[in-house]
């Protein structure tokens, strides 16, 4: 695998540089359900540096959305408890009052969701909704807010914003609504944007526009991005680091390039190999046997054990997120001895040829 | 999945000629041209892929292919015959050979019916054999899709998404169809089990000689499993050819842009920066642009593209395209995207 150049420049600095913007430590969320208390996520540890773009990946139900929501303390009604710390620029959100959180949300951290229609209020114009966010958090005048809104709509690529600013959400296409959501989330200049599957509902050509916009905005305004997605391609296009979750836990944390080329956790490796992009056309696709254990019956020890082809004696012990060197972390005690295949292995013909000529 | 390549000259299992499907909008004021003049054949034993963005008309074609809706104009022949010309009874029998499976297995399964009952249902409706014979066939179908016998007694909520999709496939198999239209059948599944379901489709094709029309918006999936692929835009095909050709030597600017827009899970050393980001979104099929329908987003559009509808032509053997300029030698050669391995 030594043929390609090393990991993208800049990613290392993000890790070892100044203190992180966001530092999540031991985060866990519990819910009340008819069957008792469920631990939906636990022992979540990660950092995001100022301006860094981090992808959170994993399959449905592994806890990505819950993690995003819990950072903002936007938890559903049957929420039963939160463990750990959420340190943002020195403040622990876990011990902030609801009022303090309201002042932070939208201003210093913003979040956008998969379905922009449900996040926009159908009875107000898009201009009003964006300007309101600004007026809630700052003491700008109505005119200033409107001027800033126009500027922001232009910034997110809405053509002729002076015509669109007084439109209602239903008058816009899906891609335009997502741009409006991005405009609303950025209007107060947040330090962190949490985007939960922001392009899943969009067509691939529109997805490419939105991802380009997110990348561009994070680069020019130094806004950190936490991008939640199940699509490893989206992460590879947009982020520099990738955090993989499984069954409510972080199981791997590495730069995108490291994770794709040489994953350290058997689950990450399995996911990569199951992608049709990377296996020869018409060949058999590898898959991961079994299914994610349900929250109600989580096994003790390694949560991936029942599906892992490398499971042995020792895997029934609780797995810690281990330091794998160079800022990488992995929740598998066997990581050093397993030589797991990544995206380029076994090298498919066109991909291998491309690497070899570089 | 190579049976088709061996005998390309036999009668196609489906031929579609000048197909048009129109809908009234709900306020009845306008007509949606969901499918507007599409021509293609599906060859026996092949997997024919259709890709396109949402609203391009893929599902509408799929439903028309199995006569869940009738064409507004044009013809669809099954094995050279027009099913609409058959007697009512013959038509009902005939339809069993042409099945369709949709994206959401939850919508296809009744939550109050056991898995076995769901799989038995089409056999009962078709009054196949006696009840013992029907049960034998239903259990055989479950076995075919790799579900253990005890699953027959379970209910849908006790199954995972991938398992439910297997049940839906088993249901379609009970009537021993010749062709199955698969509409976004893996879109709702998690990536670690998509492979399982795609492998199952390949196995069933090999063992039962099935033909598939595989509809998806996912390029990686379509190029993995199809022999030939058609690219759809605003109710029309813009390109059709062998998958390798379309994925590696695309002729139409829309195909080129679509391939380039696909996010690829590759490390930075292997990705190219020169991606083509199309401006704007797909126009409304109520009032599509004149001339070439792609011209409002095409980076190469010329005045001719507004005035004249590009002809649907076979530019290379078996490789069709609708673009005035697709044969120009210097037509976006550098914009050629990296190939899907
Ligand atoms: N209000 C709730 N009460 C009980 N359990 C919940 C609640 N919300 C989420 N969960 C459970 O918590 C787990 C994590 O959910 P989460 O929504 O974070 O998943 P996700 O990774 O975002 O999945 P997806 O990719 O499907 O969006 C799931 O098992 C889910 O069923
Ligand atoms: N029953 C219907 N009534 C009105 N319009 C419809 C109906 N079904 C589909 N359409 C319209 O036809 C076009 C093509 O739809 P569809 O075939 O579902 O596209 P795809 O499957 O490619 O996403 C869309 O504009 C859609 O809104
Ligand atoms: S701890 Fe054991 S079971 Fe878990 S991922 Fe590592 S090898 Fe597999
Ligand atoms: S006919 Fe013109 S507008 Fe249409 S795809 Fe070709 S160059 Fe573009
Ligand atoms: Mg989610
Ligand atoms: Mg559809």
């Amino acid at each position: 695998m030594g043929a390609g150049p090393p990991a993208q420049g800049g990613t290392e600095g993000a890790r070892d540089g100044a203190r992180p913007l966001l530092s999540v430590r031991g985060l866990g969320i519990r819910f009340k359900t008819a069957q008792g208390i469920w631990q939906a996520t636990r022992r979540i540890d990660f950092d995001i540096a100022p301006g860094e773009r981090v992808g959170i990946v994993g399959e449905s139900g592994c806890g990505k959305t819950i993690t995003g929501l819990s950072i903002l303390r936007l938890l559903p009604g049957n929420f039963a408890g939160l463990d750990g710390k959420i340190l943002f620029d020195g403040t622990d959100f876990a011990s902030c009052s609801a009022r303090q959180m309201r002042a932070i949300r939208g201003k210093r951290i913003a979040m956008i969701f998969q379905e922009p229609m449900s996040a926009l209020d159908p009875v107000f114009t898009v201009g009003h909704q964006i300007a309101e966010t600004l007026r809630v958090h700052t003491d700008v005048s109505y005119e200033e807010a409107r001027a800033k809104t126009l500027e922001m709509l232009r910034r997110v690529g809405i053509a002729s914003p002076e015509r669109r600013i007084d439109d209602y959400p239903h008058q816009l296409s899906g891609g335009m609504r997502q741009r409006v959501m991005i405009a609303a989330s950025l209007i107060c200049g947040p330090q962190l944007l949490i985007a939960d599957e922001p392009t899943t509902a969009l067509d691939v050509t529109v997805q490419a526009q939105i991802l380009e916009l997110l990348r561009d905005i994070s680069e020019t305004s130094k806004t950190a991005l936490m991008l939640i997605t199940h699509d490893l391609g989206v992460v590879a296009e947009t982020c520099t680091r990738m955090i993989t979750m499984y069954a409510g836990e972080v199981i791997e944390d590495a730069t995108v390039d490291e994770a794709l080329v040489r994953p350290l956790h058997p689950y990450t490796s399995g996911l990569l190999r199951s992608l049709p992009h990377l296996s020869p056309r018409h060949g058999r696709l590898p898959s991961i046997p079994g299914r994610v254990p349900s929250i109600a019956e989580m096994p003790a020890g390694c949560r991936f054990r029942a599906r892992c082809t490398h499971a042995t004696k020792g895997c029934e012990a609780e797995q810690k997120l281990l330091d794998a060197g160079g800022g990488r972390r992995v929740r598998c005690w066997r990581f050093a001895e397993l030589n797991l295949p990544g995206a380029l292995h076994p090298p498919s013909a066109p991909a291998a040829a491309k690497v070899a000529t570089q | 999945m190579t049976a088709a390549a061996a005998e390309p000259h036999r009668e196609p299992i489906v031929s579609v000629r000048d197909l048009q499907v129109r809908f009234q909008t709900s306020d009845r004021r306008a007509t949606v041209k969901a499918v507007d003049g599409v021509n293609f054949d599906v060859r026996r034993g092949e997997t024919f892929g259709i890709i396109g963005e949402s609203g391009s008309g893929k599902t509408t074609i799929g439903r028309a292919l199995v006569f869940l809706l009738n064409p507004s104009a044009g013809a669809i022949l099954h094995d050279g015959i027009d099913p609409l010309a058959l007697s009512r009874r013959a038509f009902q029998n005939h339809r069993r050979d042409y099945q369709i499976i949709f994206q959401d297995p939850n919508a296809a399964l009744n939550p109050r019916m056991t898995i076995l009952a769901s799989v038995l249902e089409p056999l009962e409706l078709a009054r196949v054999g006696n009840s013992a014979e029907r049960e034998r066939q239903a259990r055989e179908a479950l076995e075919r899709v790799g579900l253990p016998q005890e699953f027959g007694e379970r209910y849908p909520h006790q199954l995972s998404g991938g398992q439910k999709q297997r049940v839906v496939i088993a249901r379609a198999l009970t009537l021993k169809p010749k062709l199955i239209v698969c509409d976004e059948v893996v879109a709702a599944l998690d990536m670690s089990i998509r492979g399982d379901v795609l492998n199952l489709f390949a196995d069933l094709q090999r063992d039962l000689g099935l033909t598939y029309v595989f509809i998806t918006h996912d390029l990686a999936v379509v190029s993995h499993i199809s022999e030939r692929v058609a690219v759809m835009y605003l109710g029309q095909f813009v390109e059709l050819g062998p998958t390798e050709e379309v994925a590696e030597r695309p002729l139409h600017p829309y195909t080129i842009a679509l391939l380039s827009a696909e996010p690829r899970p590759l490390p930075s050393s292997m990705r190219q920066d020169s991606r083509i980001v199309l401006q704007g979104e797909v126009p409304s099929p109520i009032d599509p642009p004149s001339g070439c329908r792609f011209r409002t987003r095409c980076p190469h559009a010329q005045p001719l593209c507004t005035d004249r509808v590009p002809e649907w032509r076979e530019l290379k053997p078996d490789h069709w395209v609708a673009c005035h300029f697709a044969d120009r030698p210097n037509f976006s050669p550098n914009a050629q995207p990296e190939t899907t391995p």
Side-chain angles (χ1 to χ4, degrees), chain B residues 121-160:
Chain B
E121 194 179 42
L123 290 165
E124 281 161 356
L125 290 173
R127 302 211 181 88
V128 174
N130 59 23
S131 89
E133 173 60 14
R134 289 196 289 267
E135 176 158 343
R136 194 190 60 76
Q137 290 191 18
R139 289 195 178 275
E140 188 184 294
L142 281 174
E143 172 135 9
R144 269 246 163 262
V145 299
L147 290 174
Q149 285 305 320
E150 71 262 23
F151 274 62
E153 277 62 56
R154 294 202 192 172
Y155 288 88
H157 74 268
Q158 296 169 305
L159 271 59
S160 72

Side-chain angles (χ1 to χ4, degrees), chain A residues 265-266 302 304-305 308 310-312 315 319 331-334 338:
Chain A
H265 197 284
C302 175
F304 186 57
R305 186 158 43 118
C308 182
H310 304 282
T312 63
C315 300
Q319 297 297 313
R331 200 182 290 277
C332 167
W333 68 286
R334 300 195 63 197
L338 301 174

Side-chain angles (χ1 to χ4, degrees), chain B:
Chain B
M1 302 200 198
T2 50
E7 305 176 69
H9 299 299
R10 276 172 65 184
E11 182 93 58
I13 186 160
V14 172
S15 358
V16 175
R17 290 294 169 266
D18 300 318
L19 177 66
Q20 291 189 13
V21 182
R22 298 183 170 202
F23 298 107
Q24 287 306 119
T25 54
S26 43
D27 61 9
R28 309 218 146 252
R29 292 223 185 111
T31 306
V32 182
K33 296 170 183 164
V35 177
D36 201 19
V38 165
N39 287 285
F40 64 100
D41 288 342
V42 180
R43 299 170 189 161
R44 204 174 305 277
E46 81 170 335
T47 299
F48 183 89
I50 303 179
I51 52 170
E53 297 183 276
S54 79
S56 57
K58 307 181 295 297
T59 297
T60 305
I61 289 197
R63 292 166 60 93
L65 285 182
V66 298
F67 290 92
L68 275 182
L69 54 81
N70 289 338
S72 312
I76 297 176
L77 303 182
H78 284 173
D79 263 332
I81 60 158
D82 178 2
L84 292 176
L86 296 173
S87 72
R88 205 181 131 77
R89 205 187 151 79
F91 178 70
Q92 290 307 337
N93 279 335
H94 173 85
R95 277 181 69 174
R96 292 182 199 167
D97 291 344
Y98 296 78
Q99 297 282 324
I100 185 164
I101 303 175
F102 294 104
Q103 165 171 356
D104 183 6
N106 296 311
L109 297 175
N110 183 335
R112 282 181 294 276
M113 270 162 79
T114 63
I115 298 307
L116 184 64
S118 279
V119 178
L120 274 169
E121 194 179 42
L123 290 165
E124 281 161 356
L125 290 173
R127 302 211 181 88
V128 174
N130 59 23
S131 89
E133 173 60 14
R134 289 196 289 267
E135 176 158 343
R136 194 190 60 76
Q137 290 191 18
R139 289 195 178 275
E140 188 184 294
L142 281 174
E143 172 135 9
R144 269 246 163 262
V145 299
L147 290 174
Q149 285 305 320
E150 71 262 23
F151 274 62
E153 277 62 56
R154 294 202 192 172
Y155 288 88
H157 74 268
Q158 296 169 305
L159 271 59
S160 72
Q163 289 166 342
K164 277 183 271 197
Q165 197 58 289
R166 283 172 185 264
V167 175
V168 176
I169 298 168
R171 235 174 96 99
L173 288 177
T174 52
L175 296 176
K176 307 205 164 48
K178 296 179 184 160
L179 175 140
I180 304 180
V181 175
C182 307
D183 188 1
E184 305 279 10
V185 285
V186 295
L189 303 180
D190 263 325
M191 40 194 167
S192 71
I193 50 173
R194 256 178 218 194
D196 263 351
V197 175
L198 290 173
N199 291 339
L200 171 63
F201 276 111
D203 292 345
L204 294 172
Q205 184 167 54
R206 192 194 53 227
D207 298 348
L208 308 174
L210 288 170
T211 304
Y212 298 130
V213 174
F214 215 91
I215 296 173
T216 166
H217 66 278
D218 188 328
L219 284 159
V221 166
V222 89
S223 60
H224 188 78
I225 112 154
S226 322
E227 274 89 27
R228 291 192 304 146
V229 58
V231 183
M232 221 180 158
Y233 188 80
L234 261 184
Q236 299 180 333
F237 281 2
V238 296
E239 183 160 359
L240 163 61
T243 304
E244 248 94 306
E245 280 289 307
V246 174
E248 277 151 38
R249 285 166 292 276
L251 295 172
H252 196 281
Y254 178 63
T255 313
I256 294 172
L258 207 55
L259 290 167
S260 152
E262 226 244 313
R264 281 159 216 265
L266 296 175
S268 51
S269 58
M270 288 177 58
R271 53 184 54 253
Q272 40 144 35
D273 295 326
S274 61
R275 63 161 42 205
I276 307 155
V277 177
L278 285 183
Q279 298 307 304
E281 292 171 48
V282 183
S284 160
I286 292 176
D287 186 19
S290 68
C292 172
R293 293 190 171 185
F294 184 54
R295 71 174 162 81
T296 54
R297 303 174 79 201
C298 180
H300 309 282
Q302 307 292 319
L304 174 68
C305 308
T306 311
D307 301 337
R308 237 183 40 220
V309 177
E311 193 191 335
W312 179 238
R313 55 195 170 135
E314 192 174 9
L315 202 59
K316 296 201 225 162
D318 216 22
H319 193 164
W320 295 70
V321 64
C323 165
H324 294 305
F325 302 109
D327 49 350
R328 298 274 165 98
N330 59 350
F331 192 73
S332 72
N334 303 321
Q336 205 79 308
E338 188 177 305
T339 56
T340 307

Side-chain angles (χ1 to χ4, degrees), chain A residues 33-102:
Chain A
T33 69
Q35 290 98 323
I37 301 284
W38 281 8
Q39 183 85 40
T41 58
R42 62 167 194 173
R43 306 190 298 183
I44 310 262
D45 285 355
F46 63 88
D47 290 344
I48 298 182
E52 193 183 18
R53 295 193 300 278
V54 179
I56 311 279
V57 303
E59 294 179 278
S60 187
C62 68
K64 306 179 295 294
T65 299
I66 291 297
T67 301
L69 293 174
S70 53
I71 290 171
L72 284 170
R73 299 255 315 270
L74 282 174
L75 289 157
N78 62 336
F79 157 72
L82 178 151
D83 314 305
K85 289 187 163 63
I86 305 157
L87 298 163
F88 183 79
D89 216 8
T91 312
D92 185 2
F93 287 175
S95 52
C96 279
S97 67
R99 185 147 162 245
Q100 285 170 306
M101 285 311 300
R102 272 198 300 277

